[in-house]
Each structure stands twice: as structure tokens, then as C-alpha cells.
């Protein structure tokens, strides 16, 4: 029987990060709204309460029914979760004199407490709160403090109930993973048996039972998620799977041909549809970013639907939906983080049942499953790419000439990242745990080129030019919720800039975007 940790989500931006950290401990977890705790589920071994944008004393603050949890499972409250339990059981939570955001050190902590097993002195943690616990409930004791926060962590006497006012899931909490391991493995008794191999074996068996001999249709994008979903389904049902790959004309250079070749090598049954004429026609003269997205989204659905109707005996629609898609789309605060084309996006008239084999996985887990399935590394490590493609990297209206310019510049940049090898102090090429040589491409989360709606003066040979400017964008990230601009080597930037200006007809200036997210976004539109 598979064990799981339940993470009750009170609306924090880092709730997904808690989930990823638990999964990294090879333990399955499920993120649920704060008021949806499952009853009498024998697979649950522990509960984590997340942070929240609210104060515990706000009228609209989310409140969980702790009677369903306390005394039944080990509990760990993080930030708001810790404050909520303290407040609920008679402690005091008040606005802090000075809000504490950023790094802090645990100056004192209870070394013998199981939550701090293996901790070193003066452990750095990450704080992010404007309120603070000023008094603990009766029967609770302080087990850690920082210089500014007296009750940085507490435990209920003789109970497996803890609260921490810092964020162990955040990278800057140096021993945060150790704390979560102490809770998940030692306190909750996690067996750490959640692995890609087990996932593949279990999921293939479930898909065979679910789908039987039914025909399934899957829309491919060329990205990691839909590709892994296709290979997983192919392993389960073979030729009963039909994949449809639509080219809207704004893919990367030669991508339609190259991705179709990859899919054929994987043994997938794929229909490739070149619908670029339709999309260029419908986008003519459109400059507003959201309108571009809607035109492409609707156009994709129309083309996909037309092809799917030809497969008259299909009963299932498969999608590469992953866990973050579902969490974000159902965000409990009611605020739209971002819309996803593969969550509720296809028309009801298709009258197909939905199959989402990756719906419990985070992005890094999808890649691990892809490797388990024996997929080529260049497919598994592909950077995220926007659904509307280069249309949202062309500021202004879309033309074939602009797409040609951007495809050529983007191809030089991305291939340059793939070719620039990372070397150690001795000059040896660095390899990852799988034996693959590491390049700048692997150090970057996402990269691309933006075609700017401006022209600038330049000189080529002895002639004056007046041509387009492009901006390079490369960011590092772990989950795309936050991102920093990639500090690429100057020598690399010089080479790429020269190559683009010399080889791409219509460009005479190259810039580099050094904005972080927030306040900027990864994509420009």
C-alpha cells in the first residue's frame, strides 16, 4: 500500500515547493485545499500545513478543522500553519514590530528534538512573515529561536505536533531538507519507496486496466510533458494510441520536422499537421499579446478537433497535464496564476473521456520518468517553450519574415548554449549523474530570443544599416515561480552576438535581458 503525506494548502506561493521537497525524499504526497482533508485514508502517514497570504486573525483567513487531524497523524505547520495552530489552541499571534523576510539563524534549538536531528549550530533558515507568535498555547513549548523570533519553532508536549515560523522548503534554509526528512521519514515513518521505476510499472498496469482495447488520442506539443505521456501510453496500449502534432508556424527552426523524426524513432503513431497558413492568416495585424494567445489557442483546438474527428472509434483524450498545472488551475485563493492550455481547454463536443497519466508528477519527476522509459536525453532536458510559440516573442504583429528572423536568431542562441561545454578547474568537461556532458543549456532553465519592435542604426562593411534589434533571454530557476537572469560567460555572449549579426539577415543589434522574476516575467508577452 502506497504511503502519502497530505499537504493542506492555505494559499502559499511555496506550497508546491513543499510538495517537491517531499517527493525528493522518495515519498508520495498530495496537495489539497485546507478544507479537503481526506477522512479515514489508511495511506496517510502525516500532514503538513502550508503558509498563506493571510494573517490568522483576518476575517477571510482560511481555517482547517483540526479535529480531523490532531491526534491521528504527525503534524508539521509551516509559517501560517504554525501560527494558525498556535492561535487556534490559545496562543497569541500579532503583527511583528519589524517584518522578517530573508535569512536568519537558529541561534538556539533543542538538539535532542527529533525535528532537529542532525542539525548543525547556527543553522540558516528563511523567514517570510509579517506576523509572529508572541505567546504559545498551554502545553506547547519553544524548541528554537532566532535573534528576532522567540518562537521560531515549537512542539506540543507529548504529541507529534510541530510548528516552524520559517520555510524549510526554500533553498536558503540550509538544513531545510534535513528537517523535512526528519519529519517525513523518521517521525511519520515514510518508507521512501516512491520512484520512477515504481511509477512506470504501476501506471502502465493502471492504463492497461483503464483503457483496455480502446483507441486514445493525444495532442503532442514537442515538449517534455506530452512526449513522456505519449511514450508511457505507447508502452501500455501501443498502436491504439494516435498522436496529433500541430504546427502553427511559430515553432523553432526545423522543429516540426525534427520532433516528428524523434517521435517516429520512439515508435509512436503520429499525425503531423502543417496548419501554418491558417494561423498566419488569423494573426495578421494582431498586436495585443492576449489576443494572440486566444487566436492561437482557439486555432489549435479547431485543427486538433478536425483531425480527431477522423478517428471515429476514439474513446479517450490523453493530455500531458502535470501536477503543477492542476494545482495552479484550481488555486484556492481564486487568483489566476496562469492559464494552462491543457486543463479544460478542449471542446466538450469531442465527447471523449479524459486520460492524464502524469497528473501526479512535478516537472523534475516527469524527466526522471522519461529517463526510466529510455527516452533520448535531448527530449528529456528540453527547455519549457510557450504554447503560442514565437508569436509571444515577437512584440507587435506577426509576419512570416519576422518569424524567419526570430527562428534564425533563436537557433543560433539555443545551439550555442548546447555546444558550450562546462569545464572544471582542470579543464575537464563536467558530467551529470547520468554521465551526460554538461553545457550551458543544462545550466539554464529557459532561454530564447525576443524580436523587438524597433530598428537601430548600424554599420556593416562601409554601409549604413537600419535593421532590427533582438534581445536574448536566459534564466535560471527550479520551478519557474521565481527566476534570475543567467550569468552567461562574456566570451559566449560575444560569440553569439557576432554570429546572430553576421548570419541573420535583418538584425544589426543584440541585447541581453538582465531582469529577474519578479518583477519581470520570463516571457516578454
Amino acid at each position: 500500500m502506497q504511503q502519502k503525506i497530505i499537504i493542506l494548502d492555505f494559499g502559499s506561493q511555496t506550497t508546491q515547493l513543499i510538495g517537491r521537497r517531499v517527493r525528493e525524499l522518495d515519498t508520495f504526497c498530495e496537495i489539497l485545499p485546507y478544507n479537503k482533508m481526506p477522512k479515514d485514508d489508511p495511506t496517510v502517514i502525516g500532514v503538513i500545513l502550508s503558509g498563506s497570504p493571510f494573517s490568522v486573525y483576518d476575517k477571510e483567513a482560511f481555517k482547517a478543522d483540526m479535529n480531523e487531524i490532531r491526534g491521528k497523524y504527525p503534524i508539521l505547520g509551516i509559517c501560517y500553519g504554525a501560527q494558525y495552530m498556535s492561535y487556534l489552541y490559545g496562543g497569541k499571534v500579532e503583527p511583528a514590530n519589524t517584518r522578517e523576510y530573508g535569512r536568519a539563524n537558529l541561534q538556539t534549538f533543542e538538539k535532542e528534538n527529533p525535528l532537529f536531528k542532525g542539525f548543525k549550530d547556527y543553522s540558516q533558515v528563511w523567514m517570510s512573515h509579517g506576523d509572529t507568535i508572541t505567546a504559545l498555547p498551554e502545553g506547547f513549548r519553544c524548541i528554537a529561536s532566532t535573534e528576532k523570533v522567540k518562537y521560531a519553532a515549537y512542539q506540543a508536549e507529548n504529541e507529534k505536533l510541530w510548528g516552524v515560523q520559517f520555510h524549510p522548503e526554500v533553498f536558503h534554509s540550509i538544513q531545510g531538507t534535513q528537517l523535512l526528512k526528519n519529519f517525513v521519514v523518521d517521525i511519520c515513518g515514510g518508507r521512501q519507496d516512491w520512484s520512477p521505476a515504481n511509477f512506470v510499472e504501476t501506471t502502465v498496469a493502471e492504463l492497461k486496466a483503464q483503457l483496455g482495447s480502446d483507441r486514445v488520442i493525444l495532442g503532442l506539443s514537442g515538449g517534455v510533458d506530452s512526449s513522456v505521456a505519449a511514450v508511457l501510453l505507447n508502452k501500455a496500449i501501443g498502436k491504439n494510441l494516435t498522436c496529433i502534432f500541430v504546427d502553427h508556424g511559430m515553432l523553432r527552426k526545423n522543429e516540426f520536422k525534427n520532433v516528428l523524426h524523434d517521435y517516429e524513432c520512439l515508435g509512436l503513431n503520429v499525425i503531423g499537421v502543417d496548419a501554418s497558413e491558417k494561423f498566419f492568416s488569423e494573426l495578421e495585424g494582431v498586436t495585443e499579446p492576449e489576443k494572440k494567445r486566444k487566436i492561437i489557442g482557439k486555432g489549435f483546438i479547431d485543427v486538433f478537433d478536425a483531425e480527431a474527428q477522423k478517428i471515429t472509434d476514439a474513446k479517450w483524450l490523453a493530455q500531458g497535464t502535470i501536477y503543477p498545472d492542476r494545482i495552479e488551475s484550481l488555486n484556492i485563493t481564486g487568483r489566476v496564476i496562469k492559464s494552462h492550455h491543457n486543463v479544460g481547454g478542449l471542446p466538450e463536443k469531442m465527447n471523449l473521456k479524459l486520460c492524464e497519466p502524469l497528473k501526479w508528477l512535478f516537472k523534475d519527476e516527469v524527466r526522471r520518468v522519461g529517463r526510466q522509459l529510455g527516452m533520448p536525453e535531448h527530449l528529456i532536458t528540453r527547455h519549457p517553450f510557450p504554447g503560442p510559440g514565437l508569436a509571444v516573442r515577437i512584440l507587435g504583429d506577426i509576419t512570416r519574415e519576422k518569424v524567419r528572423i526570430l527562428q534564425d536568431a533563436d537557433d543560433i542562441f539555443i545551439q550555442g548554449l548546447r555546444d558550450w561545454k562546462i569545464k572544471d578547474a582542470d579543464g575537464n568537461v563536467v558530467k551529470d549523474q547520468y554521465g551526460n556532458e554538461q553545457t550551458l543549456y543544462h545550466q539554464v532553465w529557459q532561454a530564447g530570443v525576443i524580436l523587438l519592435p524597433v530598428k537601430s542604426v548600424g554599420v556593416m562593411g562601409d554601409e549604413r544599416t537600419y535593421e532590427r534589434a533582438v534581445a536574448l533571454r536566459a534564466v535560471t530557476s527550479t520551478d519557474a515561480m521565481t527566476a534570475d537572469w543567467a550569468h552567461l560567460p562574456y566570451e559566449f555572449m560575444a560569440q553569439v552576438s557576432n554570429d546572430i549579426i553576421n548570419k541573420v539577415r535583418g538584425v544589426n543589434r543584440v541585447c541581453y535581458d538582465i531582469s529577474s522574476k519578479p518583477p519581470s516575467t520570463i516571457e516578454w508577452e
Side-chain angles (χ1 to χ4, degrees), residues 299-337:
F300 175 85
I301 290 171
D302 291 344
V303 174
F304 183 90
D305 187 30
E307 290 298 322
Q309 295 296 333
K310 299 175 185 177
I311 307 170
T312 56
D313 59 342
K315 295 183 179 179
W316 295 85
L317 171 68
Q319 295 188 147
T321 312
I322 64 174
Y323 202 27
D325 297 341
R326 298 165 62 226
I327 298 168
E328 290 176 357
S329 299
L330 301 174
N331 184 260
I332 62 170
T333 64
R335 295 181 301 225
V336 176
I337 299 173

Side-chain angles (χ1 to χ4, degrees), residues 237-347:
I237 63 172
K239 292 301 181 181
N240 281 339
L241 171 68
T242 300
C243 303
I244 300 173
F245 182 34
V246 178
D247 180 9
H248 49 41
M250 280 144 282
L251 300 174
R252 286 187 162 131
K253 187 174 182 177
N254 299 324
E255 185 168 24
F256 186 57
K257 178 183 69 176
N258 293 340
V259 171
L260 278 177
H261 176 73
D262 283 336
Y263 287 151
E264 288 168 3
C265 291
L266 288 169
L268 299 179
N269 178 26
V270 183
I271 298 171
V273 184
D274 182 356
S276 55
E277 288 292 342
K278 167 185 171 64
F279 285 92
F280 277 112
S281 175
E282 293 179 353
L283 286 166
E284 186 175 355
V286 177
T287 60
E288 204 277 316
E290 192 60 24
K291 191 172 182 182
K292 288 184 198 175
R293 288 180 177 273
K294 288 180 178 178
I295 288 172
I296 294 172
K298 181 181 182 302
F300 175 85
I301 290 171
D302 291 344
V303 174
F304 183 90
D305 187 30
E307 290 298 322
Q309 295 296 333
K310 299 175 185 177
I311 307 170
T312 56
D313 59 342
K315 295 183 179 179
W316 295 85
L317 171 68
Q319 295 188 147
T321 312
I322 64 174
Y323 202 27
D325 297 341
R326 298 165 62 226
I327 298 168
E328 290 176 357
S329 299
L330 301 174
N331 184 260
I332 62 170
T333 64
R335 295 181 301 225
V336 176
I337 299 173
K338 61 179 177 180
S339 58
H340 293 272
H341 70 276
N342 59 341
V343 180
L346 292 173

Side-chain angles (χ1 to χ4, degrees), residues 462-474:
D462 293 325
E463 296 183 3
R464 175 185 182 275
T465 63
Y466 188 59
E467 295 181 328
R468 297 189 176 277
V470 297
L472 309 183
R473 179 71 159 149

Side-chain angles (χ1 to χ4, degrees), residues 195-200 224-225 227-229 231-232 235 266 358 361-383 418 431-438 441-443:
S195 69
N198 288 343
F199 174 83
V200 170
V224 178
D225 302 335
S227 299
V228 172
V231 174
L232 195 60
K235 187 176 179 66
L266 288 169
L358 306 180
L361 299 187
F362 290 97
K363 178 73 78 174
D364 50 344
E365 293 174 315
V366 173
R367 291 193 166 106
R368 290 170 64 193
V369 167
R371 290 189 178 95
Q372 183 66 35
L373 290 165
M375 293 175 62
E377 194 69 15
H378 71 270
L379 270 181
I380 294 169
T381 58
R382 288 197 68 180
H383 289 172
R418 289 187 181 279
K431 295 183 178 181
D432 66 10
Q433 60 183 315
Y434 306 103
N436 302 305
E437 292 186 339
Q438 293 298 281
Y441 187 87
H442 299 104
Q443 291 190 345

